[in-house]
Amino acid sequence: MKILIKGGRLIDPANSIDDQLDVLIENGCVAAVGTNLDSDNAQVLDATNRLVVPGLIDVHVHLREPGYEYKEDIQSGTRAAVAGGFTSVACMPNTDPVNDNKTVTSYICQKAAEVGLATVFPVGAITKGLKGESLSEMGQLREAGCVAVTDDGRPVDDGEIMRRAMEYARSFDLPVISHAEDLAIVGGGVMNDGFVATELGLKGIPWVAEDAMVARDVMLAEFTGARLHVAHVSTRGAVEIIRAAQKRGVAVTAEVTPHHFTLTEEAVRGYDTNAKMNPPLRSADDVAAIRQGLADGTIGVIATDHAPHHRDEKNVEFNIAMNGIVGLETALPLTLRLVEEGVLSLSEAIARLTCGPAQALNLSRGSLTVGSIADVTVIDPECAWKLEAEELLSKSKNTPFDGWSLKGKATNTLVRGKIVYNSDEV
Amino acid sequence: MSFGHKHILGIEQLSADDITLILDTAESFKEVSTREIKKVPTLRGKTIINIFFEASTRTRASFEIAGKRLSADTMNISASTSAVVKGETLEDTAKNLEAMHPDIIVMRHGHSGAPHYLAERCGFSVVNAGDGAHEHPSQALLDLMTIREKKGTIEGLVVAIVGDIAHSRVARSNIYALKKMGATVRLAGPGTLLPTEIERMGAEVTTDMNTALDGADVVMMLRIQQERQGKALLPSNREYSRFYGLNPENLKLAKADALVMHPGPMNRGVEISSAVADGAQNVILDQVENGVAVRMALLYLVSGGEQLAEQSA
């Protein structure tokens, strides 16, 4: 089975390529990249006026299976992923049961293989049951297929446990993903602490709750030599702490979500529960700092924190609504807005969605180097479309971008050389 | 002028003209409460449901009396008897209420934004009787009515609001209302009870009560909400009373004819000493009396105001 992607603008930031090039795919791998490639018996995919990029990678996704299939499952989640241009997703362990043991990891891998859409890289728990008390069996998690560990959704509150987790994870070369918030400082907060919270009479989550924990975890990484990845950075302080640590040579990477670089706390006005997330949408100053961090490479990863919730969990008073929004199908156009706004070059934007995430979690993906696995996304950068939440492929429709006019869409998504999404056939 | 609002969700949405119209209307209704037959037929045939998800005596009674004096059919639902304790969502509560075709829902709710939720989804008028730490518009309006009655005007006055600003919907509504009517607002409280960037609402902010009291025309004391203090906001009532309690001595810092106000219920000896609470300057019971008139005005105006008067003429 051969596929020839012809006539597109190939952007492969890992190899510093941005050129009019064809890609030949054979046996699930990239067989050749060049001009005027020809192959007698290949299926030709016309990519004229399209971008051809390494398959997008999302290192922060909640697939909700096992346990919360009423919100999302591996089938619906990976369907949404490939429709959004993502060929690989890393799924968080806060399922039920928690992915803190090899049985759950194996189940996820097996189910994802059966579905056969995006590649799913499970992320295991740092502590058993996400309770923050004792370490999970990280060696066996790694053997079963986990690519990193995190207690995402919760910080590891106890500094000693986090220290030991980093020391232990290092033995298996597992990156540790920090969900950074000091819960005591968060208190009962439900949105960013600032003027909007004061006016709306909602309890605030101050930036220092995030900064304090990022500082602790960065220092623990420096001390232990572990690889740290900071999830969903949302504050100016966090960006500055990470930037300074990277300059000192600490092995720390960071991600930001499209909603944190697109929206501010103002989106909460009207008590819109689709603007409720953790960390909360922050101030305009924080958003500016995050964008600066993306531009200078401090933040090398754009990740969605795709967090599907059932309608009934959002259609309630703001205080008691669940945190989070879906993101797999909106990440690409929202990232391309950064290019239009001059924050990132097109190549940098693609890097934040491909080789950046691959590097952060050591994934053998994210480039179109000859011989590598043929995960490819073909994008129509000019395609203008209106987001209708009800049309999302995710089981859940919780998005603050409903009705937004967006530009840019994945038209073909190839995983291991197989076309798993074609926008013409949807 | 006419009143263009279907709902009263907060003072934030009202203009100075709206507020003046409400106060003028309230003044004309005040007399009804002193008649022998305390009733006018204005809202005859209208159904008003007071639904209170938080305990309240004076606000609920005040709204109920206001409705009855306008001849509306009023009924009360309180949280302990509502289906919420059985796990019903606000959406289902709203749908069920709507199926009974009320004209006005007066709602108090512990969560900020709950009345906005109702107003967005239902056909009836919603009057906010206090939502979380957000707004308590009828309280601010009755405060304004009382100040205007005693001082003749609101414009140019200096109003000190002292106490737990962070948890106070009364404070937020009063800041909006007083600023719109041209008063200067000073806020005072300990750092733990002053919310982030509150000064951006247009008030002067200080942690020193004496600074706020200095030369004030009105001193508005807020209730220390014991139930919301948690473990780390205040060291003790004794310390609070020492630095943020109003007593005859520090009251002297305000103007000699300054009004003392309190939205109630009072913690005597904590935020206000009994000598002040019962003293000559307090207008606390005037506030309660005016509350009925203001609420009559609100119910009347959201029902269509002048149109009703024409129909019954």
mmCIF file of all heavy atoms in Angstrom, chain A residues 229-258:
data_model
loop_
_atom_site.group_PDB
_atom_site.id
_atom_site.type_symbol
_atom_site.label_atom_id
_atom_site.label_comp_id
_atom_site.label_asym_id
_atom_site.label_seq_id
_atom_site.Cartn_x
_atom_site.Cartn_y
_atom_site.Cartn_z
ATOM 1 N N HIS A 229 7.774 18.027 33.079
ATOM 2 C CA HIS A 229 6.942 18.712 32.086
ATOM 3 C C HIS A 229 5.809 19.390 32.854
ATOM 4 O O HIS A 229 5.084 18.742 33.602
ATOM 5 C CB HIS A 229 6.383 17.710 31.069
ATOM 6 C CG HIS A 229 5.466 18.337 30.058
ATOM 7 N ND1 HIS A 229 5.917 19.174 29.060
ATOM 8 C CD2 HIS A 229 4.124 18.281 29.914
ATOM 9 C CE1 HIS A 229 4.882 19.589 28.340
ATOM 10 N NE2 HIS A 229 3.779 19.064 28.844
ATOM 11 N N VAL A 230 5.693 20.694 32.690
ATOM 12 C CA VAL A 230 4.655 21.429 33.416
ATOM 13 C C VAL A 230 3.413 21.533 32.524
ATOM 14 O O VAL A 230 3.471 22.073 31.422
ATOM 15 C CB VAL A 230 5.130 22.845 33.814
ATOM 16 C CG1 VAL A 230 4.057 23.551 34.645
ATOM 17 C CG2 VAL A 230 6.442 22.760 34.599
ATOM 18 N N ALA A 231 2.313 20.997 33.034
ATOM 19 C CA ALA A 231 1.064 20.997 32.276
ATOM 20 C C ALA A 231 0.406 22.375 32.335
ATOM 21 O O ALA A 231 0.623 23.150 33.279
ATOM 22 C CB ALA A 231 0.112 19.932 32.829
ATOM 23 N N HIS A 232 -0.411 22.636 31.331
ATOM 24 C CA HIS A 232 -1.274 23.839 31.249
ATOM 25 C C HIS A 232 -0.804 25.059 32.058
ATOM 26 O O HIS A 232 -1.456 25.483 32.997
ATOM 27 C CB HIS A 232 -2.716 23.497 31.617
ATOM 28 C CG HIS A 232 -2.920 22.561 32.777
ATOM 29 N ND1 HIS A 232 -2.360 22.768 34.016
ATOM 30 C CD2 HIS A 232 -3.621 21.407 32.864
ATOM 31 C CE1 HIS A 232 -2.722 21.778 34.808
ATOM 32 N NE2 HIS A 232 -3.476 20.944 34.148
ATOM 33 N N VAL A 233 0.308 25.627 31.609
ATOM 34 C CA VAL A 233 0.820 26.849 32.243
ATOM 35 C C VAL A 233 -0.156 27.995 31.966
ATOM 36 O O VAL A 233 -0.634 28.162 30.843
ATOM 37 C CB VAL A 233 2.210 27.192 31.646
ATOM 38 C CG1 VAL A 233 2.648 28.579 32.065
ATOM 39 C CG2 VAL A 233 3.229 26.144 32.079
ATOM 40 N N SER A 234 -0.456 28.770 32.996
ATOM 41 C CA SER A 234 -1.454 29.832 32.778
ATOM 42 C C SER A 234 -1.048 31.197 33.329
ATOM 43 O O SER A 234 -1.787 32.167 33.155
ATOM 44 C CB SER A 234 -2.796 29.413 33.386
ATOM 45 O OG SER A 234 -2.770 29.506 34.797
ATOM 46 N N THR A 235 0.103 31.289 34.010
ATOM 47 C CA THR A 235 0.440 32.572 34.639
ATOM 48 C C THR A 235 1.772 33.126 34.143
ATOM 49 O O THR A 235 2.652 32.384 33.696
ATOM 50 C CB THR A 235 0.554 32.426 36.174
ATOM 51 O OG1 THR A 235 1.646 31.534 36.458
ATOM 52 C CG2 THR A 235 -0.718 31.883 36.782
ATOM 53 N N ARG A 236 1.902 34.434 34.245
ATOM 54 C CA ARG A 236 3.164 35.095 33.916
ATOM 55 C C ARG A 236 4.306 34.542 34.766
ATOM 56 O O ARG A 236 5.385 34.234 34.262
ATOM 57 C CB ARG A 236 3.033 36.605 34.146
ATOM 58 C CG ARG A 236 4.360 37.358 34.053
ATOM 59 C CD ARG A 236 4.170 38.861 34.180
ATOM 60 N NE ARG A 236 3.505 39.415 33.007
ATOM 61 C CZ ARG A 236 4.128 39.727 31.877
ATOM 62 N NH1 ARG A 236 5.437 39.557 31.768
ATOM 63 N NH2 ARG A 236 3.474 40.219 30.854
ATOM 64 N N GLY A 237 4.039 34.391 36.053
ATOM 65 C CA GLY A 237 5.086 33.920 36.961
ATOM 66 C C GLY A 237 5.597 32.543 36.590
ATOM 67 O O GLY A 237 6.807 32.286 36.621
ATOM 68 N N ALA A 238 4.676 31.655 36.233
ATOM 69 C CA ALA A 238 5.080 30.294 35.876
ATOM 70 C C ALA A 238 5.990 30.321 34.657
ATOM 71 O O ALA A 238 7.009 29.622 34.601
ATOM 72 C CB ALA A 238 3.848 29.427 35.627
ATOM 73 N N VAL A 239 5.634 31.137 33.658
ATOM 74 C CA VAL A 239 6.463 31.239 32.451
ATOM 75 C C VAL A 239 7.866 31.718 32.832
ATOM 76 O O VAL A 239 8.875 31.170 32.380
ATOM 77 C CB VAL A 239 5.836 32.217 31.420
ATOM 78 C CG1 VAL A 239 6.767 32.399 30.222
ATOM 79 C CG2 VAL A 239 4.472 31.705 30.965
ATOM 80 N N GLU A 240 7.916 32.714 33.706
ATOM 81 C CA GLU A 240 9.224 33.276 34.084
ATOM 82 C C GLU A 240 10.070 32.283 34.872
ATOM 83 O O GLU A 240 11.286 32.173 34.679
ATOM 84 C CB GLU A 240 9.013 34.587 34.865
ATOM 85 C CG GLU A 240 8.565 35.710 33.928
ATOM 86 C CD GLU A 240 8.093 36.974 34.650
ATOM 87 O OE1 GLU A 240 8.091 36.988 35.902
ATOM 88 O OE2 GLU A 240 7.717 37.926 33.939
ATOM 89 N N ILE A 241 9.424 31.523 35.759
ATOM 90 C CA ILE A 241 10.152 30.521 36.544
ATOM 91 C C ILE A 241 10.713 29.440 35.620
ATOM 92 O O ILE A 241 11.870 29.016 35.751
ATOM 93 C CB ILE A 241 9.225 29.901 37.617
ATOM 94 C CG1 ILE A 241 8.874 30.954 38.678
ATOM 95 C CG2 ILE A 241 9.874 28.668 38.259
ATOM 96 C CD1 ILE A 241 7.662 30.588 39.518
ATOM 97 N N ILE A 242 9.901 28.996 34.666
ATOM 98 C CA ILE A 242 10.336 27.945 33.739
ATOM 99 C C ILE A 242 11.460 28.456 32.839
ATOM 100 O O ILE A 242 12.464 27.765 32.620
ATOM 101 C CB ILE A 242 9.135 27.438 32.905
ATOM 102 C CG1 ILE A 242 8.140 26.709 33.812
ATOM 103 C CG2 ILE A 242 9.602 26.524 31.771
ATOM 104 C CD1 ILE A 242 6.753 26.553 33.229
ATOM 105 N N ARG A 243 11.312 29.699 32.361
ATOM 106 C CA ARG A 243 12.346 30.280 31.487
ATOM 107 C C ARG A 243 13.690 30.347 32.222
ATOM 108 O O ARG A 243 14.732 29.933 31.689
ATOM 109 C CB ARG A 243 11.910 31.671 31.028
ATOM 110 C CG ARG A 243 12.883 32.334 30.058
ATOM 111 C CD ARG A 243 12.426 33.736 29.691
ATOM 112 N NE ARG A 243 11.242 33.729 28.850
ATOM 113 C CZ ARG A 243 10.127 34.436 29.084
ATOM 114 N NH1 ARG A 243 10.050 35.205 30.165
ATOM 115 N NH2 ARG A 243 9.107 34.388 28.261
ATOM 116 N N ALA A 244 13.654 30.798 33.455
ATOM 117 C CA ALA A 244 14.895 30.920 34.231
ATOM 118 C C ALA A 244 15.511 29.546 34.487
ATOM 119 O O ALA A 244 16.732 29.370 34.417
ATOM 120 C CB ALA A 244 14.610 31.639 35.551
ATOM 121 N N ALA A 245 14.659 28.551 34.751
ATOM 122 C CA ALA A 245 15.169 27.200 35.017
ATOM 123 C C ALA A 245 15.816 26.611 33.771
ATOM 124 O O ALA A 245 16.886 25.999 33.843
ATOM 125 C CB ALA A 245 14.020 26.301 35.490
ATOM 126 N N GLN A 246 15.152 26.816 32.620
ATOM 127 C CA GLN A 246 15.727 26.302 31.370
ATOM 128 C C GLN A 246 17.100 26.924 31.122
ATOM 129 O O GLN A 246 18.027 26.250 30.670
ATOM 130 C CB GLN A 246 14.781 26.602 30.190
ATOM 131 C CG GLN A 246 13.530 25.724 30.195
ATOM 132 C CD GLN A 246 12.497 26.176 29.171
ATOM 133 O OE1 GLN A 246 12.552 27.298 28.669
ATOM 134 N NE2 GLN A 246 11.547 25.309 28.867
ATOM 135 N N LYS A 247 17.222 28.219 31.455
ATOM 136 C CA LYS A 247 18.520 28.876 31.265
ATOM 137 C C LYS A 247 19.589 28.268 32.147
ATOM 138 O O LYS A 247 20.762 28.245 31.794
ATOM 139 C CB LYS A 247 18.383 30.380 31.543
ATOM 140 C CG LYS A 247 17.817 31.121 30.348
ATOM 141 C CD LYS A 247 17.932 32.630 30.500
ATOM 142 C CE LYS A 247 17.241 33.321 29.326
ATOM 143 N NZ LYS A 247 16.571 34.560 29.708
ATOM 144 N N ARG A 248 19.177 27.787 33.316
ATOM 145 C CA ARG A 248 20.136 27.130 34.222
ATOM 146 C C ARG A 248 20.426 25.700 33.787
ATOM 147 O O ARG A 248 21.224 25.017 34.405
ATOM 148 C CB ARG A 248 19.577 27.072 35.645
ATOM 149 C CG ARG A 248 19.425 28.377 36.364
ATOM 150 C CD ARG A 248 19.325 28.158 37.886
ATOM 151 N NE ARG A 248 18.225 27.303 38.303
ATOM 152 C CZ ARG A 248 16.973 27.720 38.474
ATOM 153 N NH1 ARG A 248 16.650 28.974 38.216
ATOM 154 N NH2 ARG A 248 16.030 26.889 38.873
ATOM 155 N N GLY A 249 19.672 25.221 32.774
ATOM 156 C CA GLY A 249 19.917 23.867 32.294
ATOM 157 C C GLY A 249 19.042 22.809 32.934
ATOM 158 O O GLY A 249 19.302 21.610 32.788
ATOM 159 N N VAL A 250 18.005 23.226 33.633
ATOM 160 C CA VAL A 250 17.083 22.233 34.217
ATOM 161 C C VAL A 250 16.265 21.605 33.090
ATOM 162 O O VAL A 250 15.841 22.300 32.165
ATOM 163 C CB VAL A 250 16.141 22.910 35.241
ATOM 164 C CG1 VAL A 250 15.229 21.880 35.891
ATOM 165 C CG2 VAL A 250 16.948 23.661 36.287
ATOM 166 N N ALA A 251 16.051 20.280 33.190
ATOM 167 C CA ALA A 251 15.309 19.578 32.132
ATOM 168 C C ALA A 251 13.810 19.779 32.332
ATOM 169 O O ALA A 251 13.103 18.908 32.823
ATOM 170 C CB ALA A 251 15.663 18.087 32.147
ATOM 171 N N VAL A 252 13.333 20.952 31.959
ATOM 172 C CA VAL A 252 11.907 21.225 32.140
ATOM 173 C C VAL A 252 11.304 21.718 30.835
ATOM 174 O O VAL A 252 11.869 22.575 30.147
ATOM 175 C CB VAL A 252 11.662 22.237 33.286
ATOM 176 C CG1 VAL A 252 12.475 23.508 33.117
ATOM 177 C CG2 VAL A 252 10.177 22.594 33.410
ATOM 178 N N THR A 253 10.172 21.108 30.475
ATOM 179 C CA THR A 253 9.395 21.546 29.320
ATOM 180 C C THR A 253 8.029 22.002 29.829
ATOM 181 O O THR A 253 7.675 21.738 30.982
ATOM 182 C CB THR A 253 9.213 20.400 28.299
ATOM 183 O OG1 THR A 253 8.644 19.273 28.989
ATOM 184 C CG2 THR A 253 10.540 20.010 27.678
ATOM 185 N N ALA A 254 7.297 22.680 28.961
ATOM 186 C CA ALA A 254 6.007 23.204 29.400
ATOM 187 C C ALA A 254 5.023 23.249 28.247
ATOM 188 O O ALA A 254 5.407 23.331 27.080
ATOM 189 C CB ALA A 254 6.182 24.607 29.980
ATOM 190 N N GLU A 255 3.750 23.173 28.631
ATOM 191 C CA GLU A 255 2.689 23.245 27.629
ATOM 192 C C GLU A 255 1.700 24.351 27.992
ATOM 193 O O GLU A 255 1.583 24.749 29.162
ATOM 194 C CB GLU A 255 1.919 21.909 27.554
ATOM 195 C CG GLU A 255 0.985 21.731 28.748
ATOM 196 C CD GLU A 255 0.367 20.347 28.904
ATOM 197 O OE1 GLU A 255 0.997 19.350 28.505
ATOM 198 O OE2 GLU A 255 -0.742 20.280 29.461
ATOM 199 N N VAL A 256 1.010 24.851 26.974
ATOM 200 C CA VAL A 256 -0.076 25.803 27.203
ATOM 201 C C VAL A 256 -1.250 25.342 26.347
ATOM 202 O O VAL A 256 -1.066 24.709 25.304
ATOM 203 C CB VAL A 256 0.371 27.236 26.865
ATOM 204 C CG1 VAL A 256 0.706 27.378 25.391
ATOM 205 C CG2 VAL A 256 -0.696 28.245 27.238
ATOM 206 N N THR A 257 -2.462 25.636 26.798
ATOM 207 C CA THR A 257 -3.647 25.225 26.038
ATOM 208 C C THR A 257 -4.123 26.373 25.143
ATOM 209 O O THR A 257 -3.885 27.541 25.449
ATOM 210 C CB THR A 257 -4.819 24.859 26.965
ATOM 211 O OG1 THR A 257 -5.321 26.075 27.538
ATOM 212 C CG2 THR A 257 -4.414 23.912 28.072
ATOM 213 N N PRO A 258 -4.798 26.033 24.059
ATOM 214 C CA PRO A 258 -5.357 27.097 23.206
ATOM 215 C C PRO A 258 -6.291 28.039 23.972
ATOM 216 O O PRO A 258 -6.285 29.237 23.710
ATOM 217 C CB PRO A 258 -6.112 26.313 22.125
ATOM 218 C CG PRO A 258 -5.351 25.025 22.019
ATOM 219 C CD PRO A 258 -4.951 24.702 23.435
#
